[in-house]
Amino acid sequence: MQQRIEDYALISDEQTAALIGRDGSVDWLCLPRFDSAACFAKLLGDKDNGHWRIAPKHAKGPCTRRAYRPDTLVLDTEWETDDGAIRVTDLMPQRDVAPDLVRIVEGLHGHVTVRSTLRIRFDYGSIVPWVRQSHGHRVAVAGPDSVWLRSEPEVRTWGEDFGTHAEFTVKKGEKVAFVLTWHPSHEPRPPLIDPYKALHGSVRDWRKWVGHCPYDGPYRDTVIRSLITLKALTYRPTGGIVAAPTTSLPEELGGVRNWDYRYCWLRDSTLTLNVGLSAGYRKEAEAWRDWLVRAVAGDPADLQIMYGLAGERRLPEFEVPWLSGYDGSAPVRIGNLAVQQLQLDVYGEVMDTLALARDAGLPTKPHMWAIQVALIEWLRSAWRQPDEGLWEVRGGRRHFVHSKVMVWVAADRAVRALERYPQLKGDLEGWREMRDEVHREVCEKGYDAERGTFTQSYGSRELDAALLLIPRVGFLPPDDPRVIGTIDAIRAELSHEGFLRRYSTEGTAVDGLPGDEGTFLACSFWLAEALHMTGRTREARELFDRLVGLTNDVGLLSEEYDPVSGRHLGNFPQAFSHIGLVNTALALYGRHGAG
């Protein structure tokens, strides 16, 4: 029986990540990068698509308990059996050369027979490698990929059913450590790591990093877990943050709303930078800002909504038919065709992010303002176009109100920069006129005076949870009746069991897709923050408490949630959800936990 999405935990070396189920099986791992082909793809198929399970020999179901070691990304999974108890400790240490997956088995009491079953399947579960023995290692090779498996102390392994198996017994205090290492098959085996030193170093490094966060208020452990998760989703060499480490986890079980999220979205940029700066992580904030500047450099007309980990622009989308999809949710998609869309809101996101970075005192780059000038000048002539909007709809372009609001943000931040920093050069009066014109148009064409709410697009009666960001970005003050009316309308029409949908999928072709989706967790966090901004802090904190209650047993959130089935949906763990959690906690309780 397939595990629920929320049954997984995450480990990462800040270049790639693995998902480990409550049954002790690593069911998803891409090597060597987040966006590489998976060598364990059981998550989207079955056991023959690759996995690695370590558990007591006769254990059929989930573990007895599991938890991250406090303030780390080191996972401990324990089983109690009739014969005794064991702990499996999983981690991916910071790599020097090659990525390593370390799994340490420790006897807690009694005598427990442990079974390890490893099935390597390269290229998203489609390629069975050739496996051989070499100096105490099992070596699996196929095309460009090679992985080495070893244990300390060495245990006997054998091949069976196109897998590598091991069986051994541990008693109290005894340990067996496994290390799985990837490297390009044409290169020599990388240096061996000491698994126990790697464990010690990982615990030390994570706790040292967490120690930089000044937040000590309510929900501290939850906030810290979200910050660790965001750090884990950061591609350390460039500073980019992937939206999620997975692809094609469905927004509806059995549905087709399955997308690849292993890329970096500009829509997340301002909120991400705000998290870094507010939580005390200026180094990470600066790295993200620098990634953004590199990625968007070029012709403003070619600005994309997302990029690869190093700023790659080509992310072609295709389907892999040999994977059945999570819980039968096909197709499984690799790449993301939405990269070709026009989303005017990203210009506002970029301008807002760079304004926040400048005002926060991050070191400027010589070409940063020149890029901003080019962006706003292109937008001045292009903002009247319809676009696909924040949610990457595939049902055709519209004049989305949120997109136009973010156009206003772009012009507003450009104007403010010239007013605050006289050394910068630009068309102050022209940009002011643009800002005022956009504002007038949005208020005239994007507002339904009869219902007292802004709408999803010009002339539409539909609503959109992204409109909750209007007071946050400063388009209108929080006490404006139009803001309050919009918040109340969204709560009334998009609420499902107290959580928010992004927009209605009933009776509208706005997204061009069949089926439905769950409530969107980031939007629900936006609602909590909007309630707080409009003076309804008690309601905001009650909603925040409910949202925190949706985290799984190790503190992780997916993209969406189904209140009826109580299931997590969408790619997991989702950076956007954890960004929303941290930003809302800081808004409700203050940077240092005041209030």
Side-chain angles (χ1 to χ4, degrees):
M1 186 175 180
Q2 190 149 29
Q3 297 188 80
R4 301 171 303 171
I5 292 172
E6 59 267 31
D7 284 335
Y8 287 96
L10 174 82
I11 58 173
S12 167
D13 65 356
E14 296 178 60
Q15 295 191 49
T16 190
L19 293 188
I20 305 171
R22 291 177 61 89
D23 65 348
S25 180
V26 183
D27 288 349
W28 183 255
L29 174 61
C30 300
L31 291 171
R33 305 194 336 171
F34 289 109
D35 58 353
S36 299
C39 64
F40 297 145
K42 181 184 175 186
L43 178 71
L44 300 177
D46 58 34
K47 66 177 184 179
D48 291 326
N49 297 124
H51 72 114
W52 183 13
R53 186 180 188 217
I54 297 179
K57 180 179 180 180
H58 299 295
K60 301 299 183 183
C63 63
T64 305
R65 69 186 70 88
R66 67 175 181 174
Y68 288 114
R69 297 194 182 181
D71 294 348
T72 78
L73 200 64
V74 174
L75 180 69
D76 286 326
T77 304
E78 297 181 2
W79 281 266
E80 297 278 353
T81 75
D82 293 340
D83 300 317
I86 65 164
R87 176 189 298 125
V88 177
T89 299
D90 290 305
L91 64 141
M92 295 188 73
Q94 288 289 341
R95 67 179 77 169
D96 292 324
V97 178
D100 297 289
L101 171 57
V102 176
R103 313 197 71 185
I104 300 173
V105 183
E106 179 181 1
L108 300 179
H109 63 81
H111 293 70
V112 180
T113 300
V114 179
R115 184 75 179 260
S116 168
T117 301
L118 171 67
R119 289 186 175 89
I120 294 287
R121 299 291 187 269
F122 295 121
D123 191 33
Y124 299 104
S126 68
I127 298 175
V128 180
W130 182 265
V131 181
R132 60 182 172 85
Q133 287 187 310
S134 176
H135 306 290
H137 293 69
R138 285 276 177 169
V139 185
V141 178
D145 297 296
S146 177
V147 297
W148 294 64
L149 173 70
R150 64 185 175 91
S151 63
E152 294 184 11
E154 185 176 344
V155 298
R156 186 180 75 88
T157 61
W158 72 92
E160 178 185 322
D161 191 26
F162 296 100
T164 297
H165 303 264
E167 195 172 292
F168 54 94
T169 299
V170 291
K171 60 184 180 180
K172 182 177 181 179
E174 291 183 339
K175 297 180 182 180
V176 176
F178 292 90
V179 181
L180 186 74
T181 304
W182 178 94
H183 69 94
S185 59
H186 65 277
E187 295 181 359
R189 185 198 69 192
L192 302 180
I193 67 165
D194 182 318
Y196 300 104
K197 288 184 178 179
L199 171 60
H200 176 78
S202 291
V203 170
R204 178 198 63 223
D205 293 345
W206 277 110
R207 288 177 176 167
K208 180 180 179 181
W209 183 82
V210 167
H212 293 294
C213 179
Y215 182 79
D216 61 357
Y219 304 99
R220 179 195 179 276
D221 289 345
T222 303
V223 169
I224 292 298
R225 179 52 51 198
S226 289
L227 290 170
I228 289 174
T229 302
L230 293 172
K231 177 74 167 170
L233 298 180
T234 300
Y235 186 63
R236 176 183 280 259
T238 66
I241 300 178
V242 296
T246 56
T247 179
S248 300
L249 289 179
E251 297 172 8
E252 179 184 33
L253 295 179
V256 300
R257 297 168 181 260
N258 316 319
W259 316 110
D260 193 345
Y261 275 16
R262 297 171 300 156
Y263 309 111
C264 308
W265 264 257
L266 299 191
R267 72 177 182 199
D268 307 356
S269 58
T270 305
L271 298 175
T272 301
L273 193 76
N274 186 69
V275 163
L277 293 173
S278 299
Y281 294 104
R282 290 179 64 89
K283 178 181 177 182
E284 285 76 10
E286 185 175 350
W288 169 247
R289 191 280 312 270
D290 290 349
W291 174 90
L292 181 69
V293 172
R294 293 192 302 270
V296 305
D299 188 340
D302 296 331
L303 187 69
Q304 297 183 178
I305 68 169
M306 72 181 86
Y307 295 85
L309 304 176
E312 298 91 345
R313 291 172 175 257
R314 297 191 183 276
L315 310 174
E317 181 179 305
F318 60 94
E319 298 176 6
V320 287
W322 59 85
L323 290 176
S324 59
Y326 177 85
D327 204 19
S329 304
V332 171
R333 294 183 174 94
I334 307 301
N336 201 310
L337 193 61
V339 73
Q340 301 174 2
Q341 292 186 352
L342 172 65
Q343 292 184 19
L344 294 174
D345 65 285
V346 299
Y347 291 85
E349 297 289 0
V350 172
M351 294 293 290
D352 197 22
T353 300
L354 297 183
L356 177 62
R358 182 181 291 109
D359 292 346
L362 294 184
T364 60
K365 300 293 183 180
H367 56 292
M368 197 168 78
W369 178 244
I371 290 175
Q372 291 179 266
V373 171
L375 291 176
I376 195 65
E377 284 298 322
W378 181 87
L379 194 58
R380 178 150 62 168
S381 62
W383 72 267
R384 294 177 181 84
Q385 301 180 52
D387 72 340
E388 278 89 1
L390 173 71
W391 304 125
E392 299 157 19
V393 300
R394 302 193 179 198
R397 293 182 177 180
R398 299 189 179 195
H399 290 284
F400 285 101
V401 173
H402 174 263
S403 295
K404 305 301 187 186
V405 168
M406 294 309 295
V407 169
W408 176 89
V409 168
D412 178 71
R413 301 321 187 248
V415 168
R416 290 189 185 190
L418 291 183
E419 292 173 340
R420 185 168 181 178
Y421 305 99
Q423 72 274 19
L424 300 177
K425 304 301 180 182
D427 184 3
L428 179 59
E429 290 307 315
W431 296 346
R432 279 177 177 160
E433 290 177 7
M434 173 187 170
R435 179 180 65 176
D436 294 344
E437 183 181 358
V438 175
H439 199 280
R440 283 194 302 270
E441 180 176 295
V442 170
C443 292
E444 291 172 3
K445 297 182 179 181
Y447 183 73
D448 185 338
E450 179 183 342
R451 297 158 64 207
T453 180
F454 286 95
T455 59
Q456 184 178 52
S457 60
Y458 291 175
S460 168
R461 289 187 60 84
E462 300 294 333
L463 300 181
D464 191 320
L467 301 170
L468 294 168
L469 297 174
I470 285 176
R472 193 182 203 283
V473 299
F475 184 83
L476 288 173
D479 60 356
D480 190 292
R482 291 167 293 183
V483 169
I484 296 172
T486 300
I487 295 171
D488 291 342
I490 287 172
R491 289 181 81 184
E493 296 189 24
L494 297 183
S495 179
H496 182 40
E497 300 294 332
F499 304 113
L500 283 190
R501 299 180 183 275
R502 293 185 292 180
Y503 50 83
S504 174
T505 57
E506 299 177 5
T508 175
V510 64
D511 63 12
L513 297 167
D516 202 356
E517 64 179 29
T519 60
F520 203 81
L521 296 180
C523 296
S524 300
F525 283 114
W526 295 347
L527 175 58
E529 191 166 352
L531 289 171
H532 172 62
M533 293 181 72
T534 53
R536 291 173 277 185
T537 300
R538 181 183 60 81
E539 295 176 63
R541 290 182 174 181
E542 289 174 354
L543 175 56
F544 183 73
D545 185 65
R546 290 191 66 203
L547 286 164
V548 168
L550 299 183
T551 58
N552 74 351
D553 62 310
V554 290
L556 303 181
L557 288 170
S558 63
E559 179 184 31
E560 299 183 4
Y561 177 74
D562 180 4
V564 176
S565 65
R567 296 278 301 271
H568 284 223
L569 297 171
N571 285 301
F572 176 88
Q574 178 78 5
F576 215 23
S577 299
H578 286 281
I579 290 168
L581 188 154
V582 176
N583 272 325
T584 306
L586 296 176
L588 292 177
Y589 299 105
R591 179 180 176 185
H592 297 281

